[in-house]
Structures are given as C-alpha cells and as structure tokens.
Amino acid sequence: MMNIAMGFDTNFAPYAAVTIKSILLHNKNVKFYIMYDNLDKKDMKKLSGMIDEGENCSVEWIDMTGKFDHLSAGSWKSKSVYFPVALPTLCPDDRILFLDADILVTDNLEPLYNKDMTGYYLAGARDCGLIVNFMQNTIQNSKTHGGRVPSQDYFKEVFGYTKFEDFSEYLNGGILLMNLAEMRRDDIENKMYDLFNKIDFAFNEQDCFNYICRGKTKVLAPEEAVLVVKDEIIDNLPENLKHAYLENYDENKKHLIVHLIKKPWRFPEDHVLYSKMFNEVRGQTPYRFHRDKKEIFKFNFGKRKKYLVLFGHTIFKFS
C-alpha cells in the first residue's frame, strides 16, 4: 500500500481532482491522506467517489482548520502550504509521498515510492526557480531579517548560501517523498514548529524543510520529477543549468511526476508543457466542465508573447 498525501481547499479541488485521477490511472493500492481547510462537502463527495473507483484505494480526510492560523503564508491565500509539516504525526507508516494539487502522474509510482531512503529525510525535485530568485536579488519579505531584504541577503543569513551552486540540494516543496520513520526518530516535526516561531521563512514550509533537513535530502532524477516553470525562470538560469534543464524538458521523455508550476489553466495550451495531458485527464474527472474566470479569459500583451483566448478559443496569438 502506498501512502499519498495532498493538502488543499475548495478553490483548488478541481485541479486536485486531476492529480488524483492521474494517480488512479496508473496506480492501485493507494491510501490518500487529504488534508484540507475550507473544503466544501460537495467537493469531498466528488473526490471520494473518484478514489472509491480505484483498485483497492481509500481516503482519510483530515480537517486542518485553524492548525496553522498563527503563521503567515505570505502571498499564498491558504495555509495549506504548511500541511505536510504535520505528516509524521498524521500518518503512522514509515513513508509517504506528498504531492501538491497541481501535479500530473504519468506512470506507476511504486519504484519511486520504494526508493532507498536510508539516511535521508526527504527526496524531491531541485527547485530551479529559487536559483533565479537568488541571482536576481528578488526582494523577499522577512521581518526577522530586517524587513524587506534582497534574496541574496536572506539566503546568506538564514542558510549560509552565497552562490547558486549552494542550491544543489534545495528541494521544491510540491513533491516530497518523506521518510517518516527517520523524521519521527529525530523529532523533525516539532523542530519545524519551533523554527517557525524563531525564523520568518520567506518561502514558508519549503524553506523550513530545506533548512532543517539540509544534508539529508535526495534530489530526484529528471525522469522521476520535473518542474514546469515559467519561461522567464528558464531564460534566467545559469547557462550550464539551463542546458541541463532544457535537455530533459521534453514531454516525449514522459517524466513520472510533473509539477505544473506554470498552470495550464492560466495559459494557452501550446504555452505549457503537458497541457494536453492535463486536459485529457481533467475530462475524466467530475470537474470536466469546470472553468474559473482565469480559464475563460486568458490575455497577455508582453514583449515576448501576445495572446487572447476566450472560452478556449484563440482570438489572436503572436510569439
């Protein structure tokens, strides 16, 4: 039995359904741990119905309302970003795979799930976006470290990072294979709660995971996990990293786990890797006809790309 955890609210339920369906299409014997706040009962019913249709699959619903209300989520509207911190307590087993609700799974997860994690707390995808953030001195809001500070100052003071190579094992928080047994043994969960009270992390739980698990994280191979990011992230990567990234940035290579940081419901289909697969899987969920306002009206008039899409129909497009 594989344990897979997710955390979201009603706003993200239609996209979480795509993630769940993509898992069910390729996997059986899955127990889902779904952590939620502000989730409508009708959404729970729809998602439960999907999971019940899977082969030997079940779901445990975990109400997280109020648990992290004392913490700031920054630009995120939901405190669900913090939910995976509680998994060592919530799941009694030795390991769990946490996935964000904007992910596609393209094949059997068992080989990755059963990866040797001896001596590691976490395995996940390297976060290339943080490298660009660091290099470009993007301003972060960190009250603990002098208010609004450049990223380079923040990462130097908090992590001791002084160059982009220091991010070689910094993991994106949206895909985490968690060695719960080892995390419980070293009391990682309570240490994280303590750190939240001492450090105002710029990237919430992701920074805290990377801070406390440093030296005991494993980076997944590109074929195991890929982050679909905005074009400006790729453009601004150091040349060696950009080359390595683009070499593996190919749908034909069929990455096992695809994290859609660049959302296919916010951009024209041909502007986002794996959009076609996303829409095909969505068509098999109870939300097949769901469209929010960001999907109905897609507009950009930037230097690089110009497009207008209304109700799925392209009015104009220039690249």
Side-chain angles (χ1 to χ4, degrees):
M1 178 72 73
M2 287 189 293
N3 300 308
I4 296 180
M6 299 177 66
F8 52 88
D9 58 17
T10 283
N11 292 324
F12 245 79
Y15 311 116
V18 180
T19 300
I20 292 168
K21 186 62 179 182
S22 73
I23 294 168
L24 296 173
L25 288 172
H26 306 285
N27 296 271
K28 57 185 179 181
N29 303 319
V30 177
K31 180 173 182 179
F32 289 90
Y33 286 80
I34 298 186
M35 304 168 285
Y36 68 92
D37 64 0
N38 299 315
L39 186 64
D40 290 346
K41 289 184 177 180
K42 63 181 181 181
D43 291 309
M44 295 176 69
K45 184 177 180 180
K46 288 178 181 178
L47 297 173
S48 290
M50 288 175 54
I51 293 169
D52 290 343
E53 292 175 358
E55 186 175 345
N56 195 27
C57 294
S58 61
V59 58
E60 181 171 335
W61 294 96
I62 305 170
D63 187 352
M64 303 291 284
T65 302
K67 183 170 179 61
F68 294 102
D69 280 357
H70 62 293
L71 297 177
S72 169
S75 61
W76 294 94
K77 295 180 179 179
S78 172
K79 299 298 177 71
S80 62
V81 294
Y82 289 106
F83 292 175
V85 176
L87 284 170
T89 293
L90 297 175
C91 177
D93 294 342
D94 287 346
R95 67 175 58 195
I96 197 165
L97 176 62
F98 174 81
L99 298 176
D100 269 353
D102 52 0
I103 275 174
L104 284 174
V105 171
T106 69
D107 210 336
N108 186 355
L109 288 166
E110 287 187 21
L112 181 144
Y113 186 84
N114 294 316
K115 181 184 289 289
D116 182 11
M117 291 288 287
T118 305
Y120 294 93
Y121 295 132
L122 302 172
R126 186 183 187 190
D127 196 316
C128 59
L130 265 290
I131 295 172
V132 172
N133 187 294
F134 172 80
M135 294 178 65
Q136 292 186 334
N137 286 336
T138 302
I139 300 300
Q140 299 301 327
N141 185 12
S142 178
K143 296 178 183 177
T144 306
H145 298 277
R148 293 181 62 82
V149 297
S151 280
Q152 288 192 8
D153 292 349
Y154 166 78
F155 279 105
K156 181 179 180 179
E157 187 168 353
V158 178
F159 287 86
Y161 292 173
T162 59
K163 53 189 181 302
F164 75 81
E165 288 87 355
D166 293 332
F167 287 85
S168 60
E169 295 182 356
Y170 185 100
L171 303 182
N172 177 268
I175 304 168
L176 294 175
L177 179 60
M178 305 174 70
N179 184 345
L180 297 178
E182 195 141 336
M183 294 178 80
R184 281 193 291 266
R185 187 195 68 191
D186 294 339
D187 200 25
I188 294 300
E189 181 180 348
N190 285 321
K191 288 178 180 177
M192 290 183 73
Y193 293 144
D194 186 51
L195 279 172
F196 286 134
N197 294 323
K198 294 178 178 178
I199 302 174
D200 184 17
F201 288 108
F203 293 93
N204 307 317
E205 91 303 343
Q206 179 173 287
D207 268 2
C208 194
F209 269 124
N210 280 281
Y211 182 94
I212 201 163
C213 297
R214 186 167 23 182
K216 301 189 74 172
T217 61
K218 180 178 287 192
V219 178
L220 297 175
E223 59 268 22
E224 295 175 306
V226 68
L227 308 182
V228 177
V229 297
K230 293 182 179 179
D231 296 344
E232 53 265 32
I233 296 296
I234 301 174
D235 291 344
N236 289 291
L237 281 171
E239 285 303 318
N240 61 327
L241 294 181
K242 183 192 298 185
H243 175 77
Y245 189 79
L246 291 175
E247 189 177 21
N248 293 287
Y249 205 57
D250 185 350
E251 284 186 70
N252 294 324
K253 295 195 175 183
K254 196 180 180 182
H255 309 92
L256 175 61
I257 301 176
V258 181
H259 189 182
L260 296 164
I261 297 174
K262 184 177 183 181
K263 310 296 188 240
W265 57 90
R266 295 181 184 172
F267 297 89
E269 183 172 297
D270 59 349
H271 286 214
V272 186
L273 206 67
Y274 281 97
S275 276
K276 184 177 179 181
M277 180 182 291
F278 173 87
N279 288 319
E280 288 175 350
V281 176
R282 177 162 61 172
Q284 301 175 63
T285 75
Y287 299 90
R288 59 182 63 87
F289 300 120
H290 170 86
R291 298 293 183 273
D292 68 18
K293 61 182 180 181
K294 292 179 180 178
E295 295 185 78
I296 294 171
F297 179 80
K298 301 177 183 179
F299 174 75
N300 185 68
F301 208 78
K303 291 182 179 179
R304 293 186 47 177
K305 294 181 179 179
K306 300 175 177 63
Y307 56 78
L308 173 61
V309 180
L310 293 174
F311 297 97
H313 299 286
T314 300
I315 307 304
F316 66 78
K317 180 178 67 175
F318 306 101
S319 297

